Amino acid sequence: MRKRIPVGYEDMKRLIDGNMYYVDKTLMIKELIDMAGSVNLYTRPRRFGKTLNLSMLRRFFEMEMGDDGSRIDNSYIFDNLKISSYGDVYMSHQGQYPVINLSLKSAKQPTYENAFKCLRDEIAAEFGRHDYVLGTDSMTEHEKKRFKMIMEWKAEDIEYARALEFLSGCLAKYHGRNVIILIDEYDVPLENAYFEGFYDDMITFMRSLFESALKTNPNLEFAVITGCLRISRESIFTGLNNLEVFSVLSPGYADCFGFTEGEVKEMLAYYGLECKFEELKHWYDGYQFGSVEIYNPWSIVNYIKTATIDFHAYPKAYWSNTSSNHIIRELVEEADFETREEIEKLIAGEAIEKPVHEDITYGDIRESADNLWNFLYFTGYLKKSGEKQVQEIIYLDLSIPNAEIRSIYRNTILTWFDKKIRKTDMSSLFAAMENGDCETIGRFISDQLLDTISFFDYAENYYHGFLTGLLKTSQKYSVYSNRESGTGRSDIILRTPSVRGGAVILELKVARDFGKMEAACKEALLQIEEKDYAASLRSDGYSNIKKYGICFYRKECLVMK
């Protein structure tokens, strides 16, 4: 039997014990030992394997203890994996360190009080995982009392802010070895706090937690932190001079997160899906970490699992991040004309050039459009397709990575457009149609085009959908699209429920240049007459029938009757 495909599993031990497919990332261990960094921060988009890699580090380095205080041997996990081929220089580190493993991803709560309780619970649970230290004489009675207070959620808030430093001291005493600290999704509490409105309170707690554990901790061997963004030193890493950051721009650890093309091809071959490679590449490739081409691992695993169940299933957008999608919505909704043009270029497959700032604070995201573009880049919604340096500033050519992300942009824009037109007062448009006021009709539609975002390269079907969307807000008219009438199909027909009301026929054209718009309008009107689009309306009893030829050129609209 083939190995099972793991979707949503975040513990390497469960993958190995469950005979699941594992993409071998154990050479990250070698690189970590070779680099000998004190505090290592890895920033990658969500669902790119950060949590699974931290579980790998924990299972490799940890001197894990059972409830009864006995040693747990995890060495078998790494049999036949890449790190094992490098011999005792690296394997001698296996199972030799106490490890503090803390995930902060649960702190997505609507209030600071609830978010803090979630963080407190995570810290208390990690104390509980190491409660074997209470059964020895390595700790004083006072230390044991403090340990139990934290573990049982009875300690003061300040105790939790310094809890990692205290726990590392307890573990170092017990094991006689310095401690490795692993912190996963460190920026989730900050991101959530930013959107929920208690950013400053969360910054204060996180700064105390990190400084005590990582800056002034004599019992620290090294630390590994993962997140989506590099939060500036000034916010939570104040004075932390031993911090090394490995972002998507860094050459180090480039192939440790996400799948390389070779790993993708190997996985497809294992499941007999080699013929799916081009489709998979179109949808989920496109990232570049350092100089390495990277595929989205979450989407790859989901796509392959789906294909093993239904070979003919269509690809879809498996990867999304609600908070980052919120930023895309914000970018779209608050976009000025220049930003809307840039979004249109991106969706058309072009690139835009922007300065890159690796230090970001959530509080600064709204300060400039450049900060938003940077946020989208570091969270995986844009990729680097070019790079240059002008004096001290690095500029990146940014583009949309693949079809999956493009679909997220399109869906976001369509949702925004639907909401926008529902809020727009269309009464002047319908009044102008009823009164034969071509200038007002054209100006209204042009204004709406200027205020929206196109992703269909201004083809006729784009304008058709755009105008139909506007007209369907009417409470007076029913809107029909591409209905047979006369000897052809009219583009759009509006009709009142009662024949005493009236009807409107709209025929649309797209001009190749501005100077040909009037001729295109006349062509549309001639087509209405020659194909007698009014025939079905007359047979139904309508006598008040307005006919308009409408021509579009980019975001300009000309109307003739």
Side-chain angles (χ1 to χ4, degrees), residues 337 340 416-417 420 424 428 439-453 466 470 552 555-557:
F337 181 72
R340 287 194 294 272
W416 162 75
F417 178 67
K420 179 179 179 298
T424 302
S428 61
E439 183 178 347
T440 297
I441 298 171
R443 185 170 60 250
F444 185 95
I445 295 173
S446 292
D447 288 345
Q448 295 302 309
L449 284 168
L450 287 168
D451 198 31
T452 191
I453 296 167
F466 172 82
L470 290 180
F552 295 96
K555 297 203 172 185
E556 298 294 335
C557 177

Side-chain angles (χ1 to χ4, degrees), residues 81 89 147 149 216 239 261 283 338 425 480 543 558:
L81 295 179
V89 172
F147 192 104
M149 292 282 284
T216 58
E261 187 163 291
W283 270 81
E338 180 181 355
D425 183 2
Y480 302 91
S543 57
L558 181 66

Side-chain angles (χ1 to χ4, degrees), residues 438-507:
C438 294
E439 183 178 347
T440 297
I441 298 171
R443 185 170 60 250
F444 185 95
I445 295 173
S446 292
D447 288 345
Q448 295 302 309
L449 284 168
L450 287 168
D451 198 31
T452 191
I453 296 167
S454 164
F455 48 82
F456 287 113
D457 198 26
Y458 302 118
E460 186 172 325
N461 61 353
Y462 161 68
Y463 294 111
H464 192 132
F466 172 82
L467 190 54
T468 301
L470 290 180
L471 298 173
K472 282 189 173 179
T473 61
S474 172
Q475 302 296 312
K476 180 177 180 181
Y477 292 96
S478 297
V479 181
Y480 302 91
S481 178
N482 290 318
R483 292 293 182 92
E484 286 190 16
S485 185
T487 59
R489 290 179 178 272
S490 58
D491 282 331
I492 300 174
I493 289 179
L494 287 73
R495 54 195 292 177
T496 58
S498 170
V499 297
R500 286 186 288 274
V504 181
I505 300 173
L506 307 176
E507 185 63 27

Side-chain angles (χ1 to χ4, degrees), residues 24-291:
D24 190 343
K25 296 294 182 181
T26 57
L27 290 188
M28 180 182 178
I29 297 167
K30 177 181 181 298
E31 196 165 353
L32 188 60
I33 293 171
D34 289 343
M35 297 280 279
S38 177
V39 180
N40 307 273
L41 170 61
Y42 303 92
T43 61
R44 293 294 188 274
R46 304 279 183 236
R47 294 177 173 173
F48 265 72
K50 299 188 296 296
T51 301
L52 184 58
N53 276 356
L54 279 196
S55 81
M56 172 190 70
L57 297 180
R58 179 196 153 200
R59 297 299 185 183
F60 183 83
F61 287 107
E62 184 168 34
M63 190 186 300
E64 189 172 358
M65 309 295 288
D67 293 337
D68 59 355
S70 61
R71 289 280 299 273
I72 296 175
D73 183 8
N74 288 318
S75 59
Y76 73 93
I77 295 174
F78 300 91
D79 291 344
N80 303 315
L81 295 179
K82 292 176 181 177
I83 188 62
S84 65
S85 66
Y86 283 82
D88 288 343
V89 172
Y90 299 97
M91 294 305 296
S92 62
H93 291 273
Q94 201 278 318
Q96 297 301 307
Y97 301 88
V99 173
I100 296 173
N101 184 54
L102 191 68
S103 172
L104 306 187
K105 65 177 67 176
S106 66
K108 299 178 79 170
Q109 303 295 328
T111 66
Y112 174 73
E113 289 72 20
N114 287 344
F116 174 78
K117 286 178 182 177
C118 287
L119 295 176
R120 181 201 65 185
D121 291 350
E122 293 289 341
I123 293 169
E126 188 62 8
F127 271 69
R129 197 170 74 85
H130 295 288
D131 64 355
Y132 56 85
V133 301
L134 295 173
T136 70
D137 296 329
S138 63
M139 297 171 62
T140 67
E141 289 303 314
H142 174 73
E143 288 172 332
K144 289 181 180 180
K145 181 179 179 182
R146 181 181 176 189
F147 192 104
K148 289 178 181 178
M149 292 282 284
I150 294 173
M151 184 174 66
E152 296 171 356
W153 311 286
K154 296 177 181 178
E156 299 292 331
D157 290 357
I158 188 61
E159 292 291 341
Y160 291 97
R162 301 186 63 86
L164 299 188
E165 177 191 31
F166 174 60
L167 180 57
S168 60
C170 296
L171 293 175
K173 281 184 178 181
Y174 180 89
H175 293 281
R177 296 291 300 266
N178 276 353
V179 176
I180 294 172
I181 296 179
L182 308 177
I183 300 176
D184 192 26
E185 303 285 15
Y186 86 103
D187 56 339
V188 166
L190 300 174
E191 182 182 50
N192 175 73
Y194 167 71
F195 289 119
E196 297 293 350
F198 51 88
Y199 187 68
D200 291 341
D201 288 337
M202 185 56 71
I203 281 285
T204 301
F205 174 76
M206 294 286 289
R207 184 184 294 123
S208 297
L209 183 71
F210 277 56
E211 284 188 359
S212 61
L214 306 176
K215 178 184 175 183
T216 58
N217 187 354
N219 300 302
L220 178 66
E221 181 71 16
F222 66 82
V224 174
I225 308 167
T226 69
C228 195
L229 291 180
R230 171 180 170 172
I231 305 301
S232 68
R233 294 174 188 267
E234 289 70 22
S235 57
I236 61 173
F237 294 128
T238 305
L240 196 61
N241 297 322
N242 56 345
L243 176 69
E244 293 189 59
V245 182
F246 301 95
S247 74
V248 296
L249 289 171
S250 306
Y253 303 92
D255 61 353
C256 294
F257 300 89
F259 295 165
T260 64
E261 187 163 291
E263 290 166 341
V264 169
K265 287 182 175 179
E266 185 177 344
M267 190 173 183
L268 285 171
Y270 181 82
Y271 291 101
L273 298 170
E274 298 96 322
C275 60
K276 291 280 191 179
F277 175 71
E278 291 302 325
E279 180 177 71
L280 179 150
K281 183 179 180 69
H282 173 68
W283 270 81
Y284 310 116
D285 184 20
Y287 296 96
Q288 183 177 331
F289 298 165
S291 59

Side-chain angles (χ1 to χ4, degrees), residues 6 8-18 20 22 51-56 58-59 64 77:
Y9 287 83
E10 297 183 329
D11 184 355
M12 181 186 180
K13 187 171 184 176
R14 289 192 65 189
L15 265 66
I16 301 302
D17 289 349
M20 299 181 194
Y22 174 66
T51 301
L52 184 58
N53 276 356
L54 279 196
S55 81
M56 172 190 70
R58 179 196 153 200
R59 297 299 185 183
E64 189 172 358
I77 295 174

